Amino acid sequence: MPSFSDRLAAAVRAKGPLCVGIDPRWEALPRAIRERHRAVLGADYQSAAWAFAEFGQRVLELVAPYCGIVKPQAAFFELFGPPGMVALQTLLARARRMNLVTILDAKRGDIASTATAYADAAFTGCAIDGSTLPVWDADALTINPYLGRDAVEPFLTAAKKGDRGVFVLVRTSNPGAGLFQDLVCNGKPVYRHVAEEVARWNAPTRGESGLGDVGAVVGATHPRELVELRAAMPDVWLLVPGYGAQGGTAADVKAAYRPDGLGAIVNSSRGVTFPFQPDDRDWEAQIVAAAQKAQAELRA
């Protein structure tokens, strides 16, 4: 199997840098889907979970012509308990069958055997009596580096073993990101220290595309830092949230790309998956239009 970075490069070359985030919310789903599942299963979290599964899989079908990467957010599925986690697993499996690159957005971060368990769940799966059973089987996972190198190492090891990738939080798009990330230490902000470590972790993993399997999360809401961090991490894939509903524009993210057009994937969640109101009958057409528009903007 090609390396994660080369699979990602192929997806971007084929369909552009758009990454569609799948963050389902019960109250925002099309009313027809909610009512159908509620009528069968009643008003409980199992009905919500299977509504998520139906909606999420339909989203995959609608956006697949316009993007090669999808990013389910684990928290929205976990909120609905065990059925929600089954819905997430079903969605990831469907995306793989459609040859979409999958990023499990779970922002994991822990140490030693706990980190190893998180990493194995994300990538290769659980070992039982000599057999390995896949769990999430994602192509990549978002991780939090706050606990340091020994917390990151199990994820790097598991990703390398399975030809998978990780995206490390470096400069995030939320309004309060600067509380810690902008603190100056040894003459530069903390996010720059993290970026330099990411570049070092990434260097041994570079594939034919010239990019590696250890990426960085850098928000579109910080265009100046995008310029700075692209220069600091020239061979690192950037996962760029904040485009669309969070206020980032296609112009804001241009600095994330390398001269060859690779190097960045740009996430849009609500802007693509929820451009409609729950009572709209043409919700599918609105998703298609939003995906087409985002693809065109980001390719321009």
Side-chain angles (χ1 to χ4, degrees), residues 29 62 82 111 116 128 179 182 201 203 236:
L29 295 180
L62 295 171
I111 58 173
T116 299
I128 301 175
L179 178 63
D182 288 350
W201 299 335
V236 171

Side-chain angles (χ1 to χ4, degrees), residues 29 38 87 89-90 110 119 129 144 158 161 170 178 187 206 210 224 240 249 273 286 293:
L29 295 180
R38 195 161 43 202
Q89 188 180 51
T90 302
D110 217 310
D129 295 336
N144 190 329
K161 181 180 178 181
V170 172
R206 284 180 297 204
R224 181 178 61 82
V240 184
T249 68
T273 56
Q286 291 188 55
K293 180 175 181 289

Side-chain angles (χ1 to χ4, degrees), residues 16-33:
L18 175 63
C19 169
V20 173
I22 301 179
D23 305 357
R25 296 161 171 83
W26 171 254
E27 68 281 358
L29 295 180
R31 187 177 300 278
I33 290 180

Side-chain angles (χ1 to χ4, degrees), residues 41 44-53 74-91 135-136:
L41 298 169
D44 62 14
Y45 56 45
Q46 185 164 319
S47 65
W50 288 113
F52 282 8
F76 291 99
F77 295 89
E78 184 177 347
L79 178 62
F80 290 91
M85 304 307 276
V86 173
L88 174 60
Q89 188 180 51
T90 302
L91 185 67
V135 180
W136 304 123

